Amino acid sequence: MMKSVGHDEATWIWYPGDFEIWLHREVVLRREERGNVYPPFYRVDSPYCVVKFQCIYEIVEKEELALTVEGRYNVMIDGRMVPSGGGKLMLPKGKHSLVISVVNESGLPALFTKGNTIASNTSWRVTSGNWNWIVPGCGQFHSAEERPSGYRLPSVRKEHSEATTLNDGTLLVDFGKETFGYVQLHGLQGEGTVMLYYGESLEEALSEAKCDTLDRIEVTSGASPDYTHGLSRAFRYVRVIPDPGVTVGGVSMLYEYLPVEYRGQFRCSNERINRIWDVAAHTMHLTTREFFLDGIKRDRWVWSGDASQSYLINYYSFFDEAVNRRTMIALRGKDPIETHLNTILDYSFYWIISLYDHYWYTGDLEFIRSLYPKMLDLIAFCRSRANERGMVEGKPGDWVFVDWADISKEGELSFQQVLFARSLEVAAEFARMFGDDATAEELGDHAAALRRELFDTFWDEERGGLLHNRINGRLQPHMTRYANMFALLLGFLDAGRQRSVASNVLMNDQVPKIATPYMRFYELAALCEIGEHAYVASEMERYWGGMLDRGATSFWEVYDPEVQGSAQYAMYGRPFGKSLCHAWGAGPIYLLGKYFMGVKPLEAGYARFLIEPHLGGLAWFEGTVPANRDNIRIYMDETRITVRTGASPGILRITSRIVPSCPTGNFHVIGQDRYELALDNPDADYDITYANSESGSTGT
């Protein structure tokens, strides 16, 4: 822990993970409904209120150190307390131990120090009081003035697209599409109250009694004519109702956003799918904030199941690793683990599986290493709640979610066992990577045994798929899509069982259909895995396009084409309870990026990549996929494919009725009408001639 660095390397430091935990607390406690706070019903953790920072240094001359602290503090040198008032500290020359204790009862204890040679950074150590000194956390705060507690998303002023005076004299303001931020009132005059009624839909904004969100603004004489509301809201429409003695001259907003780059791009011959991509990207950006939120009106919380899809969509849109990390840290929270994440049985498994996805796409093994002990504690908690057959089932206090669907959630669900088995495999794989061989063997054995038990118990050879559940040892006759599509996606099925599940379950109208974008995401991904791209494209058009036909400017939490009129906005027993901007609605980005443009890593962090494009009935498409630090560009039509690579090598794999050709490389045969081309030249263009052999059409 010897310290001798340049003063320009100073940064704010804190106990690792505590910034994300503090920020998560701040974000999820912002939810309100009609003026009432609505806190999460799952556990919300806080950062440690007392931490100690240590630096063992050696300097040849005494040195003045400037201290900036979030909270109260004291300083000890070589175990003796020294005066440190005024934010200045004189360090004696020689080799010494410097310990700064920081207390913050309501926020994040954090420290920023800067001297001539001594500076706070990751060469320091921190403890929560157990005398286990570890590397501190740090982030983007690199000056004394840029305090972590001041972290805010940026905002920019946006004007409304239309304002209408209604028959009752009130003002209806339309911002043109779903948005998020702070309402601004201009030209305020008089004294009295202005009521704001927000709506993701027009019907909601017009419903004073039933809209989910409203604000009451008090206007006093002599106050500024311009007012910005202090709480962020989600809306498209705002109805403004001033008292008779108050005048409102205009309405605008401060749009609040996370600054991300739209690296993923897609355009094709089908304009409806182009519109779906655009609205999905807008939905994804709105819900990508300090963390991945589920919905921006309701709940504004961080849910592990929702986030597991947001991570995947992020890899094909923004590839913002920082929001991934913040979300994963916040979701896992503090020890001890007393309930499943978000109290939901499924959601603990999604968190573990998502760690592997993050490693596979980013290659950031050190981040996984930092969470490895927490992952082991979580998998141990899950195993401790397994029954004598090694299977999990809901226990008192557990929410067995699966999906918003009228299905049995009692007993052992095959769906949960698939997720559990994959979680065990992921944990075992990381244990092997980190040299924890005994743990790897134990978890691997449990995973293998659970896989065998899963198929021995639930596989119905006659019906060609996994049955849904077993209650008190009695197998139930029901079949659902959930376990089957996850078993296919996660590689649990051989080729014969894949074909069986596809025809007997996923493309069988007798099996209850899925009504949420959440599980349609996985269902359509599973179908892409077995080559049903044309069917998937038509389903995207029908399902997500159906929301567009209803006027959606962002994609919804649930969409049922059979529900018409205002009833389509109802959920949870409330007429406007449904979220009309939900992260899991942005799934087409992932489907089009991974399965149509066909780009995915072959080695962690895109050290090598695969491009396996499919038109899926489209006449042509072109787009860009962020491949870690590179962008891969691809164009495809019926006879031609062009690819622009980055620095990493890759493989192009295609199906063609003729032997394809490329001036800068040679194809080799890998099967019937199947060919591969090595993409070994860095930052190179490849122009391929081939003959498409897919069938199906989704328009031109």
Side-chain angles (χ1 to χ4, degrees):
M1 290 188 292
M2 297 299 293
K3 181 77 171 69
S4 180
V5 299
H7 62 80
D8 60 337
E9 296 180 27
T11 188
W12 281 93
I13 55 176
W14 50 77
Y15 193 86
D18 270 6
F19 171 76
E20 292 82 2
I21 286 170
W22 164 79
L23 185 60
H24 174 252
R25 186 186 69 185
E26 298 299 301
V27 169
V28 300
L29 294 181
R30 293 172 187 166
R31 178 179 174 181
E32 291 185 352
E33 285 189 11
R34 299 184 67 83
N36 298 306
V37 64
Y38 199 124
F41 52 78
Y42 55 81
R43 192 178 82 183
V44 177
D45 292 329
S46 293
Y48 292 118
C49 68
V50 179
V51 297
K52 297 178 182 293
F53 299 96
Q54 180 190 62
C55 176
I56 297 176
Y57 71 89
E58 186 172 7
I59 51 178
V60 296
E61 298 290 341
K62 66 180 181 179
E63 180 174 325
E64 184 177 80
L65 195 65
L67 303 177
T68 308
V69 177
E70 296 264 43
R72 297 176 291 146
Y73 70 97
N74 70 34
V75 177
M76 301 187 79
I77 296 179
D78 299 332
R80 298 174 62 88
M81 193 175 297
V82 299
S84 55
K88 300 290 184 181
L89 175 66
M90 187 60 68
L91 298 178
K93 67 180 181 179
K95 183 178 180 180
H96 300 278
S97 170
L98 168 65
V99 174
I100 303 174
S101 299
V102 179
V103 178
N104 194 331
E105 302 93 325
S106 59
L108 173 71
L111 172 69
F112 183 91
T113 66
K114 189 173 183 180
N116 185 43
T117 64
I118 307 297
S120 55
N121 54 34
T122 55
S123 67
W124 288 52
R125 294 296 181 263
V126 63
T127 181
S128 62
N130 60 3
W131 301 105
N132 179 27
W133 295 96
I134 59 176
V135 177
C138 63
Q140 68 268 42
F141 311 106
H142 305 304
S143 70
E145 297 75 27
E146 192 181 10
R147 294 172 177 259
S149 63
Y151 178 80
R152 298 290 185 276
L153 296 181
S155 59
V156 61
R157 181 168 170 173
K158 297 278 189 179
E159 300 296 336
H160 58 74
S161 60
E162 186 176 0
T164 305
T165 301
L166 304 178
N167 292 335
D168 61 3
T170 62
L171 183 66
L172 179 68
V173 181
D174 179 4
F175 284 86
K177 61 182 179 180
E178 181 91 12
T179 190
F180 189 91
Y182 307 86
V183 165
Q184 297 180 306
L185 304 178
H186 307 288
L188 287 173
Q189 294 181 358
E191 188 164 353
T193 299
V194 178
M195 294 298 301
L196 304 179
Y197 298 95
Y198 301 89
E200 291 190 303
S201 64
L202 174 62
E203 292 89 337
E204 184 180 13
L206 294 176
S207 178
E208 297 173 31
K210 298 296 184 180
C211 67
D212 267 20
T213 313
L214 56 81
D215 281 314
R216 180 186 181 95
I217 313 301
E218 297 295 336
V219 181
T220 58
S221 60
S224 170
D226 295 309
Y227 170 87
T228 300
H229 193 52
L231 298 174
S232 55
R233 304 299 191 200
F235 55 91
R236 173 179 171 175
Y237 301 92
V238 183
R239 190 179 179 201
V240 183
I241 305 180
D243 279 351
V246 178
T247 300
V248 178
V251 180
S252 64
M253 70 169 296
L254 286 179
Y255 171 65
E256 186 184 65
Y257 63 99
L258 182 72
V260 291
E261 181 184 355
Y262 281 74
R263 293 177 60 190
Q265 304 288 336
F266 184 82
R267 278 293 175 269
C268 70
S269 55
N270 187 314
E271 285 303 320
R272 190 169 175 85
I273 289 181
N274 291 340
R275 177 65 178 152
I276 288 169
W277 174 280
D278 291 342
V279 174
H282 181 59
T283 304
M284 182 63 183
H285 196 185
L286 285 173
T287 56
T288 301
R289 314 194 62 74
E290 298 94 340
F291 307 96
F292 290 121
L293 302 186
D294 64 332
I296 57 174
K297 180 186 80 169
R298 199 231 80 241
D299 303 328
R300 299 176 62 154
W301 295 344
V302 185
W303 294 98
S304 183
D306 305 64
S308 67
Q309 290 194 3
S310 292
Y311 306 135
L312 295 174
I313 300 166
N314 180 32
Y315 300 134
Y316 289 92
S317 53
F318 314 130
F319 211 102
D320 189 295
E321 295 182 48
V323 67
N324 272 22
R325 293 192 294 265
R326 289 196 300 269
T327 303
M328 291 174 179
I329 292 169
L331 276 167
R332 175 55 180 81
K334 296 279 192 181
D335 290 326
I337 300 172
E338 299 170 313
T339 66
H340 284 288
L341 301 192
N342 305 122
T343 75
I344 299 178
L345 177 59
D346 338 352
Y347 282 21
S348 292
F349 303 138
Y350 284 126
W351 187 84
I352 295 168
I353 294 167
S354 293
L355 288 182
Y356 192 83
D357 291 333
H358 183 84
Y359 162 68
W360 192 243
Y361 277 91
T362 70
D364 187 358
L365 190 59
E366 288 310 303
F367 173 68
I368 305 302
R369 190 189 304 273
S370 72
L371 289 177
Y372 179 64
K374 288 182 174 289
M375 182 199 69
L376 289 183
D377 286 348
L378 181 57
I379 201 72
F381 172 79
C382 295
R383 295 180 74 203
S384 74
R385 296 166 75 85
N387 60 27
E388 66 276 8
R389 293 175 293 276
M391 292 190 180
V392 290
E393 54 187 314
K395 292 183 177 292
D398 292 346
W399 178 4
V400 180
F401 175 56
V402 185
D403 192 17
W404 293 122
D406 184 17
I407 56 174
S408 171
K409 299 177 183 179
E410 296 180 76
E412 300 160 323
L413 273 63
S414 55
F415 166 76
Q416 303 288 1
Q417 313 322 315
V418 173
L419 293 184
F420 187 22
R422 179 56 185 155
S423 298
L424 289 164
E425 291 173 350
V426 165
E429 179 64 19
F430 283 135
R432 281 189 287 272
M433 291 182 191
F434 299 139
D436 189 354
D437 295 336
T439 299
E441 183 177 3
E442 180 183 349
L443 296 177
D445 288 347
H446 188 172
L450 182 55
R451 273 215 202 195
R452 290 192 297 271
E453 186 75 15
L454 167 71
F455 285 97
D456 288 346
T457 302
F458 295 105
W459 183 262
D460 186 314
E461 192 67 39
E462 183 178 343
R463 298 175 65 183
L466 292 163
L467 297 178
H468 179 66
N469 64 335
R470 179 170 63 179
I471 303 174
N472 296 325
R474 297 188 63 179
L475 190 62
Q476 304 300 299
H478 312 296
M479 183 174 284
T480 61
R481 297 169 186 260
Y482 304 104
N484 289 284
M485 64 199 191
F486 273 87
L488 197 161
L489 268 176
L490 296 174
F492 283 25
L493 306 178
D494 59 27
R497 283 180 168 174
Q498 283 185 357
R499 290 190 295 270
S500 177
V501 162
S503 60
N504 294 309
V505 184
L506 301 185
M507 301 181 74
N508 181 358
D509 289 341
Q510 301 305 308
V511 177
K513 293 186 177 181
I514 293 171
T516 62
Y518 179 44
M519 283 293 158
R520 294 240 71 191
F521 175 100
Y522 296 114
E523 179 186 32
L524 297 182
L527 288 168
C528 284
E529 289 282 348
I530 56 172
E532 294 291 343
H533 296 78
Y535 176 81
V536 168
S538 67
E539 285 298 291
M540 277 194 287
E541 279 196 86
R542 186 190 64 81
Y543 189 76
W544 279 269
M547 285 185 266
L548 296 182
D549 293 339
R550 300 287 179 90
T553 61
S554 55
F555 288 128
W556 303 351
E557 179 179 17
V558 175
Y559 169 59
D560 185 345
E562 301 301 317
V563 180
Q564 303 290 325
S566 295
Q568 66 189 323
Y569 307 129
M571 205 166 172
Y572 308 105
R574 305 200 308 271
F576 303 105
K578 183 183 296 182
S579 166
L580 301 190
C581 178
H582 223 69
W584 69 36
I589 291 174
Y590 176 76
L591 297 173
L592 292 166
K594 181 176 182 180
Y595 293 111
F596 284 73
M597 289 190 281
V599 180
K600 62 182 180 181
L602 281 176
E603 295 178 13
Y606 278 99
R608 291 176 67 244
F609 62 87
L610 172 68
I611 305 178
E612 191 169 8
H614 294 273
L615 283 171
L618 300 170
W620 61 268
F621 67 70
E622 61 184 358
T624 302
V625 172
N628 203 344
R629 285 155 183 79
D630 291 327
N631 287 330
I632 294 175
R633 296 195 293 273
I634 180 169
Y635 169 88
M636 184 181 197
D637 62 27
E638 298 281 355
T639 61
R640 181 168 169 258
I641 299 171
T642 62
V643 173
R644 173 69 180 183
T645 64
S648 299
I651 294 171
L652 175 69
R653 185 178 297 155
I654 61 173
T655 301
S656 176
R657 288 183 287 106
I658 63 172
V659 177
S661 63
C662 176
T664 53
N666 295 313
F667 279 93
H668 67 274
V669 179
I670 59 172
Q672 179 65 38
D673 293 337
R674 298 282 290 157
Y675 302 89
E676 276 189 1
L677 172 68
L679 307 174
D680 292 333
N681 299 325
D683 302 308
D685 293 299
Y686 294 85
D687 195 345
I688 295 100
T689 300
Y690 86 116
N692 180 48
S693 60
E694 295 179 6
S695 60
S697 174
T698 63
T700 57

